[in-house]
């Protein structure tokens, strides 16, 4: 029997926002009857995640990712639906549950701005009742791994965004949570920090068996880290399965890349969908038309090199989101 870390079923959250009518008369009218709008941020979200798995949670802005993660960490009550995380109902907020999960949000910080990271970590140590020696060992290991050991005593406000995010991660992992929710942990980071954090995330969950749900705008993160992805759009799950399957399912095209022996040859020869970049001609072709198009190319031009590629995942995902009607 599979041991599930997360079981979400029909999780739904709607937010009611009130609108203000303009002007004094509007304000008076608002006193009697306020107009409101309901946003269904999560709409019947269901998925199961086995213990130890790392899952990518994807979707455009406003799709409902953060809302879902907040429900799973007990920060928000759902309007309806159920969830079990490590056997707990998150929004009951039992203290044993709080010790077992961590939520890291790329756009929010938990560290104290006017203290060195070491002191924020010490505070977390006390809150979670971790022994000094355990905390010291974890901090040493993680800060070396993330390459910030020499920044432990620098005021957080003086750290770079990347360094801050690394300490956010260390603070979140200090109590060795069994499940980790990472909401855009690499957003806005410079390329080198992004790499470092990605490398860390490649090893840490696997090494420790920590179940991880990761949202990211960067497809490089997802491609490097996640075999399974869950795609959400306008509050509804659109896909749940292996990343590679997205390409099979949603991409009807492949890319042929041809290097003609004569770089000056007329692009029109390659047929519809051909673009040129330097000496290489790229042709976007329906999957079932690849063989016949290649044959046509070989018959009409002298070819120095030819390759057939899948459409990059990033592009496929963009396509998935742009095709679903808004
Ligand atoms: N506290 C809130 N009050 C009202 N609307 C909200 C609130 N939080 C989120 N929303 C709305 O819910 C939808 C989903 O938001 P969110 O879960 O943050 O999406 P994502 O993280 O995928 O970008 C958006 O339309 C957003 O504006
Ligand atoms: Mg979000």
């Amino acid at each position: 029997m599979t041991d599930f870390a997360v079981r979400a079923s029909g999780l739904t959250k709607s937010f009611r926002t009130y609108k203000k009518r303009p002007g004094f008369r509007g304000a008076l009218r608002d006193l009697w009857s306020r107009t409101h709008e309901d946003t269904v941020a999560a709409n019947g979200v269901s998925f199961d995640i086995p213990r130890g798995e790392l899952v990518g949670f994807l979707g455009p802005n406003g799709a409902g990712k953060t809302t879902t993660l907040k429900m799973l960490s007990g920060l928000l009550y759902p309007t309806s639906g159920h969830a079990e995380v490590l056997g707990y109902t998150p929004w009951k907020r039992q203290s044993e549950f709080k010790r077992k999960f961590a939520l890291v949000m790329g756009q929010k910080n938990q560290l104290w701005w006017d203290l060195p990271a070491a002191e924020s970590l010490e505070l977390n140590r006390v809150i979670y009742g971790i022994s000094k020696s355990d905390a010291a060992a974890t901090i040493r290991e993680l800060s070396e791994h993330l390459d910030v050991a020499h920044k432990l005593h620098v005021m957080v406000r003086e750290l770079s965004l990347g360094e801050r995010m690394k300490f956010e991660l260390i603070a979140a992992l200090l109590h060795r949570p069994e499940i980790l929710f990472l909401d855009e942990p690499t957003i806005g980071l410079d390329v080198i920090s992004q790499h470092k954090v990605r490398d860390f995330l490649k090893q840490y969950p696997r090494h420790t068996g920590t179940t991880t749900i990761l949202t990211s705008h960067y497809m490089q993160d997802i491609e490097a880290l996640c075999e399974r992805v869950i795609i959400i759009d306008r509050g509804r799950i659109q896909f749940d399965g292996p990343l590679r399957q997205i390409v099979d399912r949603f991409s009807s095209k492949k890319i042929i890349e041809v290097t003609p022996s004569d770089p000056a040859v007329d692009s029109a020869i390659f047929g519809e969908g051909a673009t040129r970049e330097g000496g290489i001609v790229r042709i976007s072709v329906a999957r079932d038309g690849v063989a016949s198009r290649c044959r046509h190319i070989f018959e009409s031009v002298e070819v120095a090199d030819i390759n057939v590629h899948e459409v990059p995942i990033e592009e496929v995902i963009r396509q998935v989101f742009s095709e679903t009607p808004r």
Side-chain angles (χ1 to χ4, degrees):
M1 210 181 81
T2 318
D3 187 9
F4 289 106
V6 179
R7 311 205 72 164
S9 117
L11 275 184
T12 298
K13 178 74 188 179
S14 46
F15 291 107
R16 173 158 289 190
T17 44
Y18 290 92
K19 287 192 190 160
K20 282 205 174 95
R21 278 175 278 218
F24 178 68
R25 289 172 65 97
L28 276 182
R29 285 179 65 203
D30 283 346
L31 284 176
W32 300 109
S33 67
R34 294 208 285 169
T35 52
H36 65 258
E37 203 167 64
D38 287 323
T39 308
V40 187
N43 195 348
V45 168
S46 304
F47 53 75
D48 292 330
I49 299 177
R51 266 187 200 262
E53 202 170 87
L54 192 160
V55 176
F57 195 32
L58 305 185
N61 266 331
K65 304 179 295 293
T66 300
T67 302
T68 302
L69 292 186
K70 281 184 174 170
M71 288 191 280
L72 294 179
S73 9
L75 297 182
L76 279 178
Y77 279 89
T79 309
S80 61
H82 303 278
E84 245 181 51
V85 179
L86 306 169
Y88 298 89
T89 303
W91 45 89
K92 285 189 184 161
R93 301 185 177 202
Q94 282 134 298
S95 49
E96 307 104 275
F97 174 64
K98 287 189 195 164
R99 288 169 185 282
K100 290 184 179 176
F101 84 93
L103 168 67
V104 176
M105 301 178 106
Q107 278 149 321
K108 259 201 178 139
N109 36 293
Q110 299 172 327
L111 303 171
W112 291 77
W113 205 244
D114 295 312
L115 293 177
E119 287 185 43
S120 280
L121 294 173
E122 171 61 14
L123 206 66
N124 274 22
R125 182 191 75 76
V126 175
I127 290 170
Y128 284 102
I130 305 163
S131 78
K132 280 197 165 168
S133 60
D134 280 355
T138 305
I139 292 169
R140 195 178 322 116
E141 180 196 331
L142 299 183
S143 62
E144 274 167 20
H145 204 132
L146 283 163
D147 205 15
V148 283
H150 58 298
K151 298 280 181 174
L152 268 162
H153 301 286
V154 176
M155 237 31 120
V156 166
R157 59 153 84 234
E158 286 162 19
L159 297 173
S160 74
L161 195 59
E163 290 160 351
R164 235 177 284 149
M165 182 39 66
K166 290 171 183 176
F167 280 120
E168 289 285 343
L169 275 172
I170 297 172
L173 297 173
L174 196 62
H175 63 291
R176 302 272 179 192
E178 290 175 36
I179 186 158
L180 180 59
F181 301 113
L182 297 170
D183 197 8
E184 305 279 357
T186 53
I187 196 151
L189 302 192
D190 59 281
V191 177
I192 295 173
S193 303
Q194 239 180 63
H195 247 272
K196 196 88 199 169
V197 169
R198 196 181 299 147
D199 274 348
F200 176 77
L201 294 177
K202 211 181 266 181
Q203 292 169 41
Y204 181 88
R206 210 173 288 164
H207 198 70
T208 55
T210 312
T211 310
T212 308
I213 303 183
L214 167 76
T215 81
S216 180
H217 265 87
Y218 301 106
M219 283 312 296
Q220 293 120 294
D221 286 347
I222 303 297
E223 282 195 272
L225 301 172
C226 313
E227 273 172 43
R228 173 181 171 194
V229 295
I230 297 172
I231 297 183
I232 186 171
D233 194 12
R234 282 158 305 144
R236 288 183 187 275
I237 303 289
Q238 306 288 345
F239 175 86
D240 180 353
L243 183 60
R244 288 315 321 175
Q245 205 176 301
I246 295 177
V247 176
D248 297 342
R249 186 146 142 202
F250 292 101
S251 172
S252 51
K253 304 212 156 154
K254 286 198 173 197
I255 314 272
I256 306 174
E257 275 184 1
V258 189
T259 313
S261 304
D262 172 11
V265 74
D266 182 7
S267 297
I269 286 178
F270 300 99
E272 223 174 286
T275 57
R276 197 165 198 144
E277 210 185 298
I280 298 174
V281 180
R282 275 193 194 87
I283 313 148
S284 173
V285 182
R287 276 168 180 268
D288 54 8
V290 171
S292 67
R293 184 67 72 95
C294 286
R295 203 176 311 122
H296 169 79
I297 291 167
F298 280 119
E299 281 163 4
S300 6
V301 225
E302 195 174 319
V303 172
D305 194 12
I306 189 162
N307 283 295
V308 180
H309 298 288
E310 292 286 0
V311 176
I313 294 224
E314 197 151 3
E315 215 158 285
V316 180
I317 301 263
R318 211 177 303 134
Q319 206 174 304
V320 175
F321 294 142
S322 66
E323 274 171 16
T324 48
R326 241 135 255 279

